[in-house]
Amino acid sequence: MLLNLPKAVKPIGEWFLSGARAACIGVDVYPSHFASLLKECKSANTECKSANTVHQIHQQIIASGLLSLPTPLLSVSLPALPSEPFISPRSLGTGVVASYLACGATDYALLVLERVTPSPAVWWNLLIREHIKQGRLDSAINVSCRMLRAGTRPDHFTLPHVLKACGELPSYRRGSAFHGLICCNGFESNVFICNALVAMYSCCGSLEEASMIFDEITQRGIDDVISWNSIVSAHVKSSNAWTALDLFSKMTLIVHEKPTNERSDIISIVNILPACGSLKAVPQTKEVHGNAIRNGTFPDDEDLMVYNALIDMYSKCRSFKAARSIFDDIPLEERNVVTWTVMIGGHAQYGDSNDALKLFCGLMENAVKVFNMMEFKDVVSWNAMVAGYSQSGNFKAAFELFKNMRKENIPLDVVTWTAVIAGYSQRGCSHEALNLFRQMIFSGSFKAARSIFDDIPLEERNVVTWTVMIGGHAQYGDSNDALKLFVEMISEPYGVAPNAYTISCILMACAHLAAIRIGKQIHAYVLRHHRYESSAYFVANCLIDMYSKCGDVDTARHVFDSMSQKSAISWTSMMTGYGMHGRGSEALDIFDKMRKAGFVPDDITFLVVLYACSHCGMVDQGLSYFDSMSADYGLTPRAEHYACAIDLLARSGRLDKAWRTVKDMPMEPTAVVWVALLSACRVHSNVELAEHALNKLVEMNAENDGSYTLISNIYATARRWKDVARIRHLMKKSGIKKRPGCSWVQGQKGTASFFVGDRSHPLSPQIYALLESLIDRIKAMGYVPETNFALHDVDEEEKNNLLVEHSEKLALAYGLLTTSPGCPIRITKNLRVCGDCHSAFTYISKIVDHEIVVRDPSRFHHFKN
């Protein structure tokens, strides 16, 4: 390697620069120089092993013209220069490919390989295999197609790789297409490719095609042990246990007459044992066991894979004496974690839980000696105990073990969570199951949970299973998916009646999406079915929340008034609804009635009250309630309460008092306080204090796109465009992206969404024409565009044009075009509504026959007349 050469030899950087300099002045650069550099880049232990270095060398090779010989000359052996071995352009090209592959830069490798003529199949094979190793199965298949277009014929190594990718996806359509290619190219007699075909069709669920290929292999007499293993495995996966056992019997008679190897025999045994276990077939398990002994499957060093599989199968067949006999025959120092786990799991699930516990204790006692562990924290073994107890109906023991896992800081995985949640589900404990599911999602296992749910057959899903998944999507995933799952849940032929928890989860999804039509349908469903009467107040609270967040606070009040029993959550939900709709007087009226009903307000109640006062401009009342918290109710304000107080002071023009309040806080100000102060600075254009607030957020690592956008807008209002550019550069450097403004509106034909300047909608010409007409009409009424909300360094006319293209204006125009007269137009925006759009909507509401309701992340805005 270059790094190990004497110091007189130039390092790679000097080689490269020397070559570059030589090319510039017309001096010959020998291909061997570049070949050496590329070889150095492929070396495993070198600092030069990076895609960037290879890319630079590649560019220099192209600049030197060493890859551009005419095609007819590529295979001609030109005479070598003195002391320089001849290296053809094709060899140099494949050297570049190899270097890119060594760096993991598969896309660059592919681009180069397509330009090497002719390109050897071996490099295409390596590229396809690398894509499969990275899990990029679609890309692997795409590479094989590009290989064909490049004119390179696949060989007997290419096709097994591609078929593996088709099987793992799985993709029957593409797999069968490659089957046709195999036949056309005369590979139908190649046993390696035919075995891959059997495995591919098996993975795609096409047992009939897999069996046909296998029959053709045996008829030609080219079958080997892998052929038989593949078809046996296919039948085991398809739950054809008896067929698999019959094929295994034939295999033992036929295959062992042919040359084979011990490892294949081991795979054969491990393949067939699950069939024995599924049938609980002890005689067949013993036959397989005997076959393994007779044929020397157990080598001198004793293969634990077979031992572990036999213990597992004997346990599933409830033949614990045989399982224990095999377990005891394995020396303690040779048992691995799997050995202990299958033994423990078998006893816990099918046998005596006391024996399982004794084995588990034995495992932990021997952890230091056997596994060199100070303490045993193998989650698989713990899971075996938890799952075993849960599946055998011993839920109490399963829950206790689960608690111990958390206490001992054993890392929980999806198997642990699923076992415990399944236990609660089987006992009908919906609330506990949902709580555990929330914790599971919080631990980052949402995709795994959905995968497990999808594997459960429709007929086996119960109300808790459905509710847990719907609730997970509503709270942590995609609310649209929650709605789709609810439709599946109540659909025939395996329709399941939702319970109160299901209804609450689906109403939560409707609230997130502002899907009031679906919410009303759910409400009607609840009224038609009396099974929810015992949980009436629980469902009613969710209805209040849904209607409030969908913009219909009057219907929310109707639900509230119709409740015969109200909880503290009922009162708080109604206050929150009024607060977010800017109806502060009604919110405070509910607060007074709540106190008269005997409910003592807590810190959450006061947070809602302060929130309502803040959004409704009720400054004096809000500050009075803030003081009342501690004076009259003995409650200590938290940071969130101080944030509301700061907002109240800012709205009343008392920014100095707001700043003093921050400095006088009895606790360290949190991020929410600094964000409130930053927002106050936006209203009052106080640049210096805004910079201080942002610096505090940066110190706390709590800055985000919202806080950077606020400071950028403050700079823009002050016309400090260099600072605006600096903030945008800082965001880009920090990897923080500003969320684009997006608004969506429900029309007669579904929901339409719009971004700023969006012209992708089919009705865009009519939308912009209507907007132009509306702007002209309201200007005549006195509307003046607030160009300070067009935060770009452009002239006033361009600012006016930018304001017209805001997403909420586009959504309003679409709503006016598609909504019947008299019906409200409900718009939702992902960011705060801009001041100019607020002003424009006020005027527009005077000339259209609609109430306009706009929901942003902070509150609702109502415009009517």
Side-chain angles (χ1 to χ4, degrees):
M1 292 191 302
L2 290 177
L3 296 178
N4 295 325
L5 291 175
K7 291 183 179 179
V9 178
K10 294 180 182 179
I12 188 168
E14 291 184 41
W15 279 60
F16 174 70
L17 292 172
S18 298
R21 193 178 299 114
C24 292
I25 61 175
V27 179
D28 289 337
V29 179
Y30 299 132
S32 59
H33 293 174
F34 293 114
S36 297
L37 293 176
L38 291 171
K39 185 178 180 181
E40 177 74 12
C41 287
K42 288 188 290 180
S43 179
N45 299 310
T46 174
E47 296 175 0
C48 305
K49 188 178 178 180
S50 72
N52 187 47
T53 304
V54 179
H55 195 57
Q56 291 177 346
I57 298 170
H58 181 199
Q59 287 178 326
Q60 190 57 45
I61 292 171
I62 294 171
S64 302
L66 296 175
L67 291 180
S68 57
L69 285 179
T71 302
L73 296 178
L74 291 176
S75 57
V76 177
S77 296
L78 299 176
L81 293 172
S83 74
E84 292 292 340
F86 173 71
I87 298 175
S88 70
R90 186 175 75 168
S91 297
L92 206 54
T94 54
V96 173
V97 173
S99 298
Y100 275 133
L101 279 174
C103 300
T106 52
D107 293 337
Y108 281 132
L110 175 60
L111 291 172
V112 177
L113 194 55
E114 286 182 313
R115 287 161 177 76
V116 175
T117 308
S119 49
V122 62
W123 294 108
W124 287 100
N125 296 343
L126 288 171
L127 193 55
I128 292 167
R129 190 173 66 182
E130 185 64 28
H131 277 85
I132 293 173
K133 191 189 301 181
Q134 294 176 5
R136 299 167 62 189
L137 302 175
D138 280 306
S139 298
I141 296 171
N142 182 46
V143 169
S144 64
C145 294
R146 291 170 75 164
M147 172 186 184
L148 294 170
R149 286 197 294 270
T152 302
R153 185 175 182 269
D155 60 19
H156 60 285
F157 291 110
T158 314
L159 295 164
H161 288 317
V162 179
L163 291 171
K164 180 183 179 182
C166 294
E168 289 185 7
L169 274 171
S171 175
Y172 172 86
R173 180 179 59 82
R174 285 183 279 190
S176 57
F178 279 104
H179 186 180
L181 180 70
I182 288 164
C183 296
C184 291
N185 284 272
F187 288 113
E188 61 267 34
S189 296
N190 186 294
V191 68
F192 301 110
I193 293 174
C194 290
N195 289 343
L197 274 172
V198 174
M200 181 275 293
Y201 279 124
S202 170
C203 292
C204 293
S206 304
L207 185 60
E208 185 178 351
E209 283 90 341
S211 299
M212 287 173 60
I213 300 294
F214 175 75
D215 291 342
E216 290 177 11
I217 295 173
T218 53
Q219 286 169 12
R220 292 193 184 100
I222 60 172
D223 56 299
D224 60 10
V225 72
I226 297 173
S227 313
W228 286 88
N229 284 344
S230 298
I231 195 64
V232 169
S233 176
H235 281 284
V236 171
K237 287 178 184 175
S238 300
S239 301
N240 297 332
W242 287 115
T243 306
L245 284 166
D246 181 55
L247 283 166
F248 180 78
S249 297
K250 293 178 181 176
M251 171 186 179
T252 57
L253 297 173
I254 297 171
V255 173
H256 289 293
E257 297 173 2
K258 302 183 177 186
T260 184
N261 59 71
E262 292 170 348
R263 194 69 200 164
S264 295
D265 287 338
I266 291 168
I267 298 300
S268 309
I269 300 297
V270 173
N271 260 348
I272 195 59
L273 284 172
C276 301
S278 65
L279 295 169
K280 305 292 187 288
V282 178
Q284 283 76 10
T285 303
K286 288 182 176 179
E287 281 184 30
V288 173
H289 188 181
N291 179 275
I293 296 171
R294 286 193 304 274
N295 289 287
T297 301
F298 299 120
D300 293 337
D301 60 352
E302 301 184 356
D303 199 301
L304 273 179
M305 185 191 294
V306 178
Y307 276 127
N308 293 341
L310 283 166
I311 293 170
D312 187 39
M313 287 310 106
Y314 277 126
S315 297
K316 286 178 179 176
C317 296
R318 290 177 168 78
S319 184
F320 298 109
K321 189 175 180 180
R324 187 61 191 248
S325 175
I326 296 173
F327 179 80
D328 291 340
D329 284 344
I330 305 172
L332 176 63
E333 64 276 7
E334 293 181 12
R335 297 172 191 166
N336 61 14
V337 173
V338 178
T339 314
W340 286 94
T341 301
V342 293
M343 195 68 194
I344 292 166
H347 277 76
Q349 187 173 352
Y350 305 107
D352 188 334
S353 56
N354 290 325
D355 287 342
L357 191 57
K358 288 176 185 175
L359 282 163
F360 187 64
C361 292
L363 170 58
M364 290 193 286
E365 287 172 9
N366 288 289
V368 178
K369 186 192 300 182
V370 181
F371 304 112
N372 296 318
M373 299 178 183
M374 293 304 294
E375 50 184 340
F376 188 71
K377 292 195 175 185
D378 179 69
V379 69
V380 178
S381 300
W382 285 85
N383 285 347
M385 287 290 291
V386 174
Y389 281 141
S390 181
Q391 291 169 18
S392 64
N394 193 348
F395 302 121
K396 186 176 179 180
F399 302 148
E400 284 301 318
L401 201 59
F402 177 71
K403 289 178 185 176
N404 286 337
M405 288 182 73
R406 304 187 80 169
K407 185 179 177 182
E408 298 293 331
N409 294 319
I410 307 299
L412 307 177
D413 63 11
V414 69
V415 178
T416 322
W417 290 106
T418 305
V420 183
I421 291 171
Y424 276 118
S425 300
Q426 289 172 37
R427 293 181 68 184
C429 302
S430 304
H431 184 66
E432 290 83 355
L434 278 169
N435 279 338
L436 277 173
F437 188 81
R438 292 188 188 102
Q439 295 175 42
M440 180 185 179
I441 301 303
F442 187 74
S443 302
S445 302
F446 186 82
K447 288 184 178 179
R450 180 59 197 259
S451 177
I452 290 172
F453 173 82
D454 290 338
D455 287 340
I456 302 172
L458 279 170
E459 63 272 17
E460 294 180 17
R461 297 176 188 173
N462 59 21
V463 65
V464 179
T465 312
W466 282 105
T467 302
V468 163
M469 204 66 236
I470 291 170
H473 276 290
Q475 285 188 280
Y476 306 101
D478 187 336
S479 292
N480 282 305
D481 285 339
L483 295 179
K484 291 175 186 174
L485 283 172
F486 182 73
V487 172
E488 288 180 35
M489 175 183 180
I490 61 177
S491 299
E492 297 297 336
Y494 301 110
V496 176
N499 62 18
Y501 289 102
T502 322
I503 296 297
S504 69
C505 291
I506 204 63
L507 287 173
M508 187 193 307
C510 293
H512 287 169
L513 297 170
I516 193 168
R517 291 180 185 175
I518 300 174
K520 286 180 176 179
Q521 292 172 9
I522 302 297
H523 189 181
Y525 180 90
V526 170
L527 294 174
R528 288 195 304 270
H529 296 81
H530 300 291
R531 71 172 69 94
Y532 304 106
E533 289 178 355
S534 61
S535 306
Y537 82 93
F538 179 75
V539 174
N541 290 339
C542 296
L543 284 167
I544 292 169
D545 181 66
M546 183 274 294
Y547 279 118
S548 296
K549 289 179 178 175
C550 289
D552 192 353
V553 72
D554 292 326
T555 302
R557 179 59 187 265
H558 176 75
V559 174
F560 177 80
D561 289 339
S562 65
M563 294 175 69
S564 58
Q565 179 187 0
K566 298 181 179 73
S567 66
I569 295 174
S570 312
W571 294 96
T572 305
S573 297
M574 196 64 246
M575 275 190 286
T576 304
Y578 276 132
M580 70 173 65
H581 284 271
R583 293 164 66 167
S585 298
E586 287 104 323
L588 296 183
D589 180 59
I590 291 290
F591 180 61
D592 290 337
K593 288 180 178 178
M594 174 185 178
R595 288 186 293 179
K596 290 175 183 177
F599 289 91
V600 178
D602 58 11
D603 59 337
I604 300 295
T605 312
F606 273 103
L607 189 61
V608 172
V609 169
L610 292 173
Y611 169 85
C613 292
S614 175
H615 280 277
C616 304
M618 303 170 73
V619 178
D620 294 333
Q621 295 97 317
L623 293 173
S624 175
Y625 282 120
F626 180 76
D627 294 334
S628 176
M629 278 185 69
S630 52
D632 299 333
Y633 293 92
L635 297 171
T636 303
R638 293 185 283 110
E640 291 81 4
H641 299 94
Y642 277 97
C644 286
I646 291 163
D647 189 62
L648 283 164
L649 289 166
R651 287 175 184 271
S652 63
R654 289 179 272 180
L655 185 60
D656 291 340
K657 177 69 185 301
W659 174 224
R660 284 199 302 274
T661 301
V662 174
K663 291 191 288 186
D664 294 341
M665 283 176 62
M667 77 284 290
E668 195 66 30
T670 62
V672 69
V673 174
W674 292 115
V675 169
L677 187 63
L678 187 60
S679 298
C681 294
R682 167 78 169 90
V683 176
H684 296 278
S685 301
N686 190 317
V687 177
E688 185 179 351
L689 191 54
E691 289 175 333
H692 179 74
L694 181 66
N695 288 335
K696 288 293 183 180
L697 288 168
V698 172
E699 287 175 14
M700 302 165 70
N701 292 319
E703 79 277 22
N704 55 29
D705 67 319
S707 52
Y708 278 118
T709 301
L710 271 173
I711 191 72
S712 177
N713 292 350
I714 292 169
Y715 284 138
T717 302
R719 306 186 68 80
R720 290 171 54 170
W721 301 113
K722 288 185 178 179
D723 286 319
V724 172
R726 178 175 59 82
I727 291 296
R728 288 174 180 168
H729 174 73
L730 182 61
M731 291 176 68
K732 185 177 181 180
K733 186 178 178 181
S734 305
I736 299 174
K737 294 183 179 179
K738 180 183 180 297
R739 285 168 294 168
C742 179
S743 299
W744 56 98
V745 59
Q746 288 191 1
Q748 292 177 338
K749 297 181 179 179
T751 302
S753 58
F754 299 90
F755 290 92
V756 179
D758 200 335
R759 295 180 183 271
S760 61
H761 197 278
L763 293 179
S764 285
Q766 296 95 311
I767 288 170
Y768 278 90
L770 177 58
L771 267 181
E772 185 178 353
S773 171
L774 287 171
I775 296 298
D776 288 341
R777 290 178 64 185
I778 63 176
K779 279 182 178 178
M781 296 167 61
Y783 161 72
V784 178
E786 298 184 35
T787 54
N788 58 308
F789 286 99
L791 303 169
H792 296 275
D793 188 13
V794 294
D795 58 35
E796 289 299 306
E797 183 179 354
E798 182 61 24
K799 286 184 177 181
N800 285 332
N801 293 335
L802 290 171
L803 290 173
V804 172
E805 296 181 346
H806 279 193
S807 64
E808 54 265 58
K809 289 192 178 84
L810 300 176
L812 174 60
Y814 174 81
L816 291 171
L817 288 170
T818 59
T819 307
S820 302
C823 295
I825 296 174
R826 304 182 190 277
I827 300 168
T828 305
K829 188 179 179 185
N830 67 330
L831 305 176
R832 289 288 297 271
V833 173
C834 108
D836 177 72
C837 291
H838 195 284
S839 175
F841 283 16
T842 304
Y843 282 96
I844 291 172
S845 69
K846 298 178 181 179
I847 59 175
V848 297
D849 187 20
H850 298 275
E851 178 185 6
I852 304 167
V853 182
V854 183
R855 171 188 173 183
D856 67 19
S858 181
R859 58 164 291 171
F860 281 83
H861 307 266
H862 292 260
F863 306 89
K864 189 174 182 180
N865 296 324

PDB file of all heavy atoms in Angstrom, residues 810-824:
ATOM      1  N   LEU A 810     -55.739  31.528  -1.265  1.00  0.00           N
ATOM      2  CA  LEU A 810     -56.041  30.557  -2.325  1.00  0.00           C
ATOM      3  C   LEU A 810     -57.116  29.572  -1.855  1.00  0.00           C
ATOM      4  O   LEU A 810     -58.030  29.220  -2.615  1.00  0.00           O
ATOM      5  CB  LEU A 810     -54.775  29.794  -2.722  1.00  0.00           C
ATOM      6  CG  LEU A 810     -53.606  30.632  -3.269  1.00  0.00           C
ATOM      7  CD1 LEU A 810     -52.398  29.747  -3.531  1.00  0.00           C
ATOM      8  CD2 LEU A 810     -54.014  31.362  -4.545  1.00  0.00           C
ATOM      9  N   ALA A 811     -57.002  29.139  -0.594  1.00  0.00           N
ATOM     10  CA  ALA A 811     -57.986  28.206  -0.052  1.00  0.00           C
ATOM     11  C   ALA A 811     -59.362  28.859   0.023  1.00  0.00           C
ATOM     12  O   ALA A 811     -60.386  28.222  -0.266  1.00  0.00           O
ATOM     13  CB  ALA A 811     -57.550  27.739   1.345  1.00  0.00           C
ATOM     14  N   LEU A 812     -59.412  30.133   0.399  1.00  0.00           N
ATOM     15  CA  LEU A 812     -60.698  30.835   0.474  1.00  0.00           C
ATOM     16  C   LEU A 812     -61.341  30.934  -0.907  1.00  0.00           C
ATOM     17  O   LEU A 812     -62.553  30.682  -1.055  1.00  0.00           O
ATOM     18  CB  LEU A 812     -60.489  32.234   1.055  1.00  0.00           C
ATOM     19  CG  LEU A 812     -61.729  33.144   1.051  1.00  0.00           C
ATOM     20  CD1 LEU A 812     -62.860  32.528   1.873  1.00  0.00           C
ATOM     21  CD2 LEU A 812     -61.392  34.538   1.568  1.00  0.00           C
ATOM     22  N   ALA A 813     -60.537  31.283  -1.913  1.00  0.00           N
ATOM     23  CA  ALA A 813     -61.084  31.392  -3.271  1.00  0.00           C
ATOM     24  C   ALA A 813     -61.645  30.055  -3.736  1.00  0.00           C
ATOM     25  O   ALA A 813     -62.733  29.996  -4.333  1.00  0.00           O
ATOM     26  CB  ALA A 813     -60.002  31.887  -4.231  1.00  0.00           C
ATOM     27  N   TYR A 814     -60.919  28.971  -3.456  1.00  0.00           N
ATOM     28  CA  TYR A 814     -61.416  27.636  -3.814  1.00  0.00           C
ATOM     29  C   TYR A 814     -62.724  27.343  -3.076  1.00  0.00           C
ATOM     30  O   TYR A 814     -63.671  26.809  -3.664  1.00  0.00           O
ATOM     31  CB  TYR A 814     -60.373  26.580  -3.470  1.00  0.00           C
ATOM     32  CG  TYR A 814     -60.868  25.160  -3.671  1.00  0.00           C
ATOM     33  CD1 TYR A 814     -60.886  24.577  -4.935  1.00  0.00           C
ATOM     34  CD2 TYR A 814     -61.334  24.406  -2.585  1.00  0.00           C
ATOM     35  CE1 TYR A 814     -61.349  23.282  -5.113  1.00  0.00           C
ATOM     36  CE2 TYR A 814     -61.801  23.118  -2.761  1.00  0.00           C
ATOM     37  CZ  TYR A 814     -61.807  22.558  -4.018  1.00  0.00           C
ATOM     38  OH  TYR A 814     -62.282  21.279  -4.198  1.00  0.00           O
ATOM     39  N   GLY A 815     -62.775  27.695  -1.779  1.00  0.00           N
ATOM     40  CA  GLY A 815     -63.995  27.470  -1.009  1.00  0.00           C
ATOM     41  C   GLY A 815     -65.173  28.228  -1.572  1.00  0.00           C
ATOM     42  O   GLY A 815     -66.299  27.704  -1.656  1.00  0.00           O
ATOM     43  N   LEU A 816     -64.957  29.467  -1.999  1.00  0.00           N
ATOM     44  CA  LEU A 816     -66.040  30.276  -2.582  1.00  0.00           C
ATOM     45  C   LEU A 816     -66.531  29.675  -3.905  1.00  0.00           C
ATOM     46  O   LEU A 816     -67.723  29.736  -4.221  1.00  0.00           O
ATOM     47  CB  LEU A 816     -65.549  31.708  -2.805  1.00  0.00           C
ATOM     48  CG  LEU A 816     -65.282  32.533  -1.543  1.00  0.00           C
ATOM     49  CD1 LEU A 816     -64.584  33.844  -1.892  1.00  0.00           C
ATOM     50  CD2 LEU A 816     -66.597  32.815  -0.807  1.00  0.00           C
ATOM     51  N   LEU A 817     -65.600  29.076  -4.655  1.00  0.00           N
ATOM     52  CA  LEU A 817     -65.975  28.475  -5.944  1.00  0.00           C
ATOM     53  C   LEU A 817     -66.754  27.172  -5.782  1.00  0.00           C
ATOM     54  O   LEU A 817     -67.543  26.801  -6.640  1.00  0.00           O
ATOM     55  CB  LEU A 817     -64.716  28.200  -6.776  1.00  0.00           C
ATOM     56  CG  LEU A 817     -63.994  29.421  -7.375  1.00  0.00           C
ATOM     57  CD1 LEU A 817     -62.647  28.999  -7.944  1.00  0.00           C
ATOM     58  CD2 LEU A 817     -64.847  30.085  -8.450  1.00  0.00           C
ATOM     59  N   THR A 818     -66.542  26.454  -4.674  1.00  0.00           N
ATOM     60  CA  THR A 818     -67.085  25.089  -4.563  1.00  0.00           C
ATOM     61  C   THR A 818     -68.106  24.905  -3.444  1.00  0.00           C
ATOM     62  O   THR A 818     -68.639  23.809  -3.304  1.00  0.00           O
ATOM     63  CB  THR A 818     -65.922  24.091  -4.331  1.00  0.00           C
ATOM     64  OG1 THR A 818     -65.217  24.438  -3.135  1.00  0.00           O
ATOM     65  CG2 THR A 818     -64.965  24.084  -5.502  1.00  0.00           C
ATOM     66  N   THR A 819     -68.370  25.943  -2.642  1.00  0.00           N
ATOM     67  CA  THR A 819     -69.283  25.803  -1.506  1.00  0.00           C
ATOM     68  C   THR A 819     -70.614  26.483  -1.808  1.00  0.00           C
ATOM     69  O   THR A 819     -70.648  27.594  -2.356  1.00  0.00           O
ATOM     70  CB  THR A 819     -68.660  26.410  -0.231  1.00  0.00           C
ATOM     71  OG1 THR A 819     -67.372  25.839  -0.020  1.00  0.00           O
ATOM     72  CG2 THR A 819     -69.536  26.145   0.990  1.00  0.00           C
ATOM     73  N   SER A 820     -71.704  25.823  -1.453  1.00  0.00           N
ATOM     74  CA  SER A 820     -73.036  26.377  -1.685  1.00  0.00           C
ATOM     75  C   SER A 820     -73.233  27.650  -0.880  1.00  0.00           C
ATOM     76  O   SER A 820     -72.730  27.768   0.251  1.00  0.00           O
ATOM     77  CB  SER A 820     -74.115  25.356  -1.289  1.00  0.00           C
ATOM     78  OG  SER A 820     -73.954  24.158  -2.005  1.00  0.00           O
ATOM     79  N   PRO A 821     -73.972  28.623  -1.410  1.00  0.00           N
ATOM     80  CA  PRO A 821     -74.217  29.880  -0.693  1.00  0.00           C
ATOM     81  C   PRO A 821     -74.832  29.629   0.680  1.00  0.00           C
ATOM     82  O   PRO A 821     -75.679  28.759   0.841  1.00  0.00           O
ATOM     83  CB  PRO A 821     -75.196  30.620  -1.606  1.00  0.00           C
ATOM     84  CG  PRO A 821     -74.950  30.051  -2.968  1.00  0.00           C
ATOM     85  CD  PRO A 821     -74.596  28.609  -2.741  1.00  0.00           C
ATOM     86  N   GLY A 822     -74.374  30.386   1.656  1.00  0.00           N
ATOM     87  CA  GLY A 822     -74.915  30.259   3.005  1.00  0.00           C
ATOM     88  C   GLY A 822     -74.166  29.273   3.879  1.00  0.00           C
ATOM     89  O   GLY A 822     -74.298  29.317   5.104  1.00  0.00           O
ATOM     90  N   CYS A 823     -73.403  28.360   3.273  1.00  0.00           N
ATOM     91  CA  CYS A 823     -72.664  27.361   4.058  1.00  0.00           C
ATOM     92  C   CYS A 823     -71.325  27.951   4.520  1.00  0.00           C
ATOM     93  O   CYS A 823     -70.692  28.697   3.774  1.00  0.00           O
ATOM     94  CB  CYS A 823     -72.399  26.109   3.224  1.00  0.00           C
ATOM     95  SG  CYS A 823     -73.899  25.226   2.772  1.00  0.00           S
ATOM     96  N   PRO A 824     -70.880  27.615   5.723  1.00  0.00           N
ATOM     97  CA  PRO A 824     -69.596  28.142   6.194  1.00  0.00           C
ATOM     98  C   PRO A 824     -68.428  27.540   5.420  1.00  0.00           C
ATOM     99  O   PRO A 824     -68.486  26.396   4.966  1.00  0.00           O
ATOM    100  CB  PRO A 824     -69.557  27.725   7.666  1.00  0.00           C
ATOM    101  CG  PRO A 824     -70.490  26.569   7.775  1.00  0.00           C
ATOM    102  CD  PRO A 824     -71.549  26.785   6.745  1.00  0.00           C
TER     103      PRO A 824
END
